[in-house]
Structure formats: C-alpha cells, structure tokens
Amino acid sequence: MSRIVVILTAFFAAALVTPLVRRAAFSWGAVDMPDVSGASESGRKRHEKAMPLFGGAAVFAAMALALATALALGWLPGENIKMKFVVGIVTASALLVIGGALDDRFNLKPARQIVWPALATLVMVVCGVGIRAVSNPFGGIIPLDGVQFTVLWWQGIPYKLTLFADLFTVAWLMGMTYTTKLLDGLDGLVSGTLVIGAVILAFVSVTRDYAQPDTVLVCLAVAGAFAGFLLYNFPPASIFLGEGGSTLAGFLLGTLAIISGGKIAAALLVLGLPILDAALVIIRRAVIERRSPFSGDRTHLHFRLLDRGFSPRQVLLTYWLATALLGTATFFLQGEAKLLALVLLALGLAVSTWLSFSRDTRGADAAGSDKGISRHA
C-alpha cells in the first residue's frame, strides 16, 4: 500500500504542477529559443517555437511531496533511509533546481553553473551519504574507508572525513549529474531513462539479497515524479527539463545507487549507453578535434541516429529499450559478466563513433574538393 501511495502521489503531483511551472517559465522569460536554421550549436535546437524550461522544479516539487507524505505516514525514515538522508536529498535537489533556474533564465557561465552541482554533492557527503566500499568484479571488496579524520564533535557524536570514500562519492555524483545533463538533447530522453532506472533500482531493493523496503519508497518517489513530468515532456514536448531538471536526474540516480546498498554497477548499466557516449564525444572533441569538450555539436549518439533518418520517437524508444535491457541485466549478471557487458558496449560505441567520424571526414574532404574545382573552373 505504501508503495502505491508514494508513486501515485509523486505522479499526480508532477502532472498537476508541471502546467503551473510551464506558465511561470514563460512569465519569467526562461525559454529555449529554436534554431531552425542550424546556425548555432551546430543545429542542435530543432524545436519550432520557444520552449519553457524549469521542468526540474516540477519534478522536485512532486518528489518532495511524495517524500513528505511518506514521512507523515510513518513509512520513512527506516532502517536504511535515515532522516538525514531524506533531508540531504531534498536540500541538495533544491540547490540543483535553484541553480538550474538561474541558468535557464540568465544563461550562466560554466564556472558558475558547476557551483550548484558541487554544493549539492557536498550536502550529500555532509549528510553521511557515501560509498564505503566497492565490489571487485574479479571477486572480493575494495574498501574505501581506510583513511579517516574527525572533523568535529557535535553532541557527543564524531563527524569524520573519510578521505577516499568521500572523494569517490563526489566524483561519482558529479559524473552522474553531468551524464544526464549531456544526454538531455531529445524530448523525453532523460525523463524516461530516469523512470526506468529508478524502477529498476526499486526492484533490486526488494530482492532477497537486499530487502530494503524504505529504499524502495525513495526510488518510487523519484520514478513517479519523472513519470508525471513525462506526460508533458514526451515528443512533441511542451516543456523541457532545463538545467535544473537535467542535472537533478543524474544526481538522484547516483544518490539512489549509493543509499540502496551501493548498487554502483546497476546504475552504471542503467546509464551505460549515455555514460560511454558522453565519454567518446568528449574524447573526440578534446583529443581528435582539439576543441572544448563542452562545445555543442551533433556528435552524440541520439543526434547521429536522427541524422541517419530515425524519427525522434524511434530514437527515444531505442534508448529506453537499451536502458531497460542493460538495467535488467543486473539481475542476471555477476562480477566479471557486468564488466564484460560494459566493455562490449564501449567497443560497440567506439566503432560506431569511429565510422561516423570517418564518414564525416570523407564528406568534408569531398566538399572541399568540389569547392576547389569550382574555384578554378
């Protein structure tokens, strides 16, 4: 009963709040203007009219209401989800939404954009969310809590800095945050991916190996919030997630992976496709093309599929299916098998990227040759 109440609360709250957020975005001028001509950012913005942002605010409000409902009914906190974790999730999410709203409205510089994810990540570390050990795919556990320092004492309780565990946690959350930020280039792509990912982590949390009913509630609160927002974000979308929503998505999935028993491998499989795609795009930009890895272009996999003739919905369903299959694989694959799945996926994407780059290079050389002929004719 508790699970149904939480997910439905989040879903209907998002469905009701999103139109209000949409109007607010128009009123405050937080809109994404189209680039039908393809003149800016390599033609990435193909929507035909101004689109409201601030979608992350609707997701946050719905998730917070669902968590508040669970707290009011005594379903949270629990054995695994402590009160400080709930406070940390809500506080950190609010910081991301506030920073994202400022960026949506004023187009902040990258140096100012990163402040908000960094603050959100530090909030989670302060609230005790951390990765104390990771599973070795070849067997055993790799501890990360060997080096600890007591920072302060508060009411007889020591608050410690666990050096390697906290650094790993910061790197993990920042990486997941920016993965979904980079992925957010197609209507419904990030929203749908998060619904699938959160539901998979919820199922993992009810397995016999984990048995974490309180963790399930948090996963369902996140899944319901993004599902309710997806009603308006499915193509053709009437509102975008915006900076706050795109960063909030990865941050929440990364956090859920930690608090649900360190399911890092599960989250890596869920976001395996966008993580590896983002890594290859950054390598291509920085190493091969020698330009900023944060510059916009159409080299992400979803853009390349669109350029090859796929419709937006076909690309969306392809990504969702890949996410569901890879996420479900976590129930059947163990240790080395999970690592092998990621390696095979990386090789496939690398080959695809290389073929695409070679094709683009040949096309550019041919175009240059044609121009040379016409110039001398």
Side-chain angles (χ1 to χ4, degrees), residues 21 25 30-32 51-59 96-97 99-105 177 180-182 184-185 190-191 226 229 233 239-249:
V21 170
V31 296
D32 191 29
M51 293 293 294
L53 302 170
F54 285 0
V59 173
L96 286 172
V97 170
L102 291 174
D103 182 57
D104 291 340
R105 177 63 182 85
T177 298
T180 51
K181 172 182 166 65
L182 293 173
D184 190 26
V190 169
S191 302
F226 276 97
F229 176 77
N233 192 227
I239 183 173
F240 290 165
L241 275 170
E243 176 76 5
S246 63
T247 54
L248 179 64

Side-chain angles (χ1 to χ4, degrees), residues 231-354:
L231 295 176
Y232 305 91
N233 192 227
F234 189 81
S238 60
I239 183 173
F240 290 165
L241 275 170
E243 176 76 5
S246 63
T247 54
L248 179 64
F251 179 84
L252 286 175
L253 192 63
T255 300
L256 290 176
I258 297 174
I259 65 177
S260 59
K263 301 182 184 69
I264 305 303
L268 281 175
L269 284 172
V270 167
L271 284 185
L273 186 59
I275 287 174
L276 294 170
D277 178 47
L280 290 171
V281 168
I282 290 173
I283 292 172
R284 172 175 173 169
R285 292 172 183 171
V287 178
I288 299 177
E289 300 177 354
R290 298 185 181 278
R291 59 189 175 92
S292 171
F294 301 105
S295 58
D297 58 26
R298 292 182 64 83
T299 56
H300 280 288
L301 179 60
H302 50 273
F303 286 129
R304 287 191 279 128
L305 290 175
L306 288 174
D307 292 340
R308 295 293 179 265
F310 282 70
S311 71
R313 293 191 179 188
Q314 287 174 331
V315 174
L316 196 63
L317 294 176
T318 299
Y319 260 83
W320 287 358
L321 180 60
T323 299
L325 291 176
L326 288 169
T328 304
T330 195
F331 294 100
F332 309 102
L333 302 181
Q334 300 295 327
E336 297 180 18
K338 291 181 180 179
L339 179 61
L340 178 61
L342 289 172
V343 169
L344 291 176
L345 179 62
L347 289 175
L349 278 175
V351 171
S352 171
T353 300
W354 178 77

Side-chain angles (χ1 to χ4, degrees), residues 81-256:
I81 305 299
K82 301 176 176 63
M83 187 63 191
K84 62 180 181 179
F85 291 176
V86 179
V87 172
I89 290 172
V90 174
T91 303
S93 298
L95 287 172
L96 286 172
V97 170
I98 291 171
L102 291 174
D103 182 57
D104 291 340
R105 177 63 182 85
F106 301 108
N107 194 23
L108 303 178
K109 294 181 179 180
R112 294 184 178 181
Q113 293 174 355
I114 199 173
V115 169
W116 301 94
L119 286 175
T121 300
L122 291 176
V123 165
M124 298 311 301
V125 171
V126 169
C127 289
V129 174
I131 304 170
R132 302 293 180 246
V134 293
S135 299
N136 186 335
F138 303 103
I141 298 293
I142 302 174
L144 299 175
D145 56 356
V147 181
Q148 297 184 5
F149 305 96
T150 299
V151 179
L152 58 88
W153 287 78
W154 180 260
Q155 296 181 344
I157 301 175
Y159 288 81
K160 298 181 178 182
L161 171 66
T162 307
L163 184 60
F164 296 115
D166 291 341
L167 288 176
F168 190 91
T169 301
V170 169
W172 167 256
L173 290 179
M174 290 294 287
M176 294 293 281
T177 298
Y178 275 87
T179 293
T180 51
K181 172 182 166 65
L182 293 173
L183 178 64
D184 190 26
L186 191 66
D187 296 352
L189 186 54
V190 169
S191 302
T193 299
L194 256 290
V195 173
I196 296 170
V199 168
I200 287 173
L201 289 179
F203 274 110
V204 173
S205 298
V206 298
T207 59
R208 183 179 300 176
D209 293 338
Y210 292 95
Q212 299 174 347
D214 51 344
T215 302
V216 175
L217 296 181
V218 182
C219 292
L220 294 181
V222 172
F226 276 97
F229 176 77
L230 188 58
L231 295 176
Y232 305 91
N233 192 227
F234 189 81
S238 60
I239 183 173
F240 290 165
L241 275 170
E243 176 76 5
S246 63
T247 54
L248 179 64
F251 179 84
L252 286 175
L253 192 63
T255 300
L256 290 176

